[in-house]
Amino acid sequence: MPFKVVIPARYGSTRLPAKPLLDLGGKPMVVRVAERALLSGAEEVVVATDHPDVLAAAERYDLRALLTRTEHASGTDRLAEVVALSGWSDDTTVVNVQGDEPLIDPGLIALTAARLATSGADIATVAHPVADAADFFNPHVVKVVLTASGDALYFSRAPIPYARDHFAREAGGETLPPGMHAYRHVGLYAYRASFLRTYTGLAPSPLESLEALEQLRALWHGFRISVAIADHLPLAGVDTPEDARRLQEWFEKV
């Protein structure tokens, strides 16, 4: 099934100002992300930014880019504006690829789009099994619990599902019980354009404010999120100056 990729690339960042323009081996990071997305089989890749410098950087590399509003609260809102500006039909599949993941696996992008097509859900996303107890209890690692059919029941920064008896016996929580299915959420999403048009009118939910997880708004309002299970954990993106230095060193070697 054909799909499009949109890369939200917000210029402002508290820890990394002008992050989309971070130089990685002679190219801006947003360009590196777009190059990976183009390898996924997407019929179109669009950079959606709020700053003319990012727009110009993308266009220098013959990428399609759109200048979107600065006041968007989330990347999903920015995607909705791209859908409106582009006039895409309601059944268009749109994959949201974060603008700070220059090593994103193109196959993972295609997997997410395919999951949306086969599941019939409103949204598709990705998870990966959690095997390490430290990750399970880490609030920076978002967990997801699934239904038997693979839809998301809930996302949380808390350790879910909580193995009560096992952790009662093991006060330090140093291991996970054998056979427990715990999943780390990977922040890659595919949407139907019709949902993105609807999303902008949805009232925020109290859950998303408490957990600081935007996807809970969709669950709160009764939309389905289907979850594909990846067989490998994606490489880390760029969130901190340390991440930026690590990626710059990596690109200098390739």
Side-chain angles (χ1 to χ4, degrees):
M1 181 177 179
F3 64 94
K4 302 177 188 294
V5 169
V6 177
I7 303 169
R10 189 171 64 88
Y11 184 83
S13 171
T14 303
R15 289 181 289 186
L16 283 171
K19 185 163 72 165
L21 300 179
L22 176 72
D23 185 275
L24 295 178
K27 292 182 180 179
M29 180 164 65
V30 69
V31 173
R32 294 289 187 185
V33 177
E35 288 176 341
R36 300 295 288 174
L38 286 165
L39 296 174
S40 69
E43 62 179 359
E44 188 173 3
V45 174
V46 182
V47 174
T49 185
D50 60 353
H51 199 281
D53 288 354
V54 179
L55 182 78
E59 290 178 341
R60 276 198 302 273
Y61 288 86
D62 296 323
L63 298 169
R64 185 184 176 213
L66 290 174
L67 193 61
T68 54
R69 297 194 297 272
T70 58
E71 68 272 17
H72 286 307
S74 70
T76 310
D77 291 297
R78 202 171 302 282
L79 259 69
E81 185 180 358
V82 171
V83 167
L85 290 172
S86 303
W88 291 339
S89 63
D90 281 351
D91 61 353
T92 301
T93 296
V94 184
V95 181
N96 180 352
V97 174
Q98 298 299 321
D100 56 6
E101 296 191 25
L103 298 178
I104 183 74
D105 179 0
L108 202 59
I109 299 171
L111 173 69
T112 311
R115 182 71 179 199
L116 187 72
T118 58
S119 67
D122 305 289
I123 306 169
T125 190
V126 180
H128 182 265
V130 175
D132 184 76
D135 286 342
F136 185 67
F137 285 96
N138 184 349
H140 298 296
V141 175
V142 177
K143 277 71 66 176
V144 58
V145 174
L146 308 178
T147 67
S149 62
D151 282 1
L153 272 172
Y154 192 66
F155 297 85
S156 182
R157 298 182 183 278
I160 57 171
Y162 192 83
R164 184 196 64 177
D165 294 343
H166 177 85
F167 294 132
R169 292 191 300 268
E170 188 182 279
E174 295 178 356
T175 65
L176 300 179
M180 185 179 85
H181 295 292
Y183 295 101
R184 170 202 305 259
H185 179 228
V186 177
L188 187 65
Y189 295 95
Y191 306 94
R192 300 184 193 284
S194 57
F195 171 81
L196 289 168
R197 290 189 169 97
T198 300
Y199 178 84
T200 57
L202 295 179
S205 79
L207 293 175
E208 70 179 284
S209 300
L210 288 169
E211 295 261 20
L213 295 175
E214 176 191 345
Q215 64 269 37
L216 291 175
R217 183 182 305 184
L219 288 184
W220 173 263
H221 287 281
F223 291 95
R224 284 181 58 206
I225 303 178
S226 184
V227 183
I229 305 302
D231 58 8
H232 62 281
L233 190 63
L235 297 171
V238 178
D239 289 321
T240 67
E242 292 74 23
D243 294 335
R245 286 190 290 271
R246 172 178 53 82
L247 265 296
Q248 286 173 326
E249 291 172 359
W250 189 91
F251 276 98
E252 286 172 2
K253 295 175 182 177
V254 296

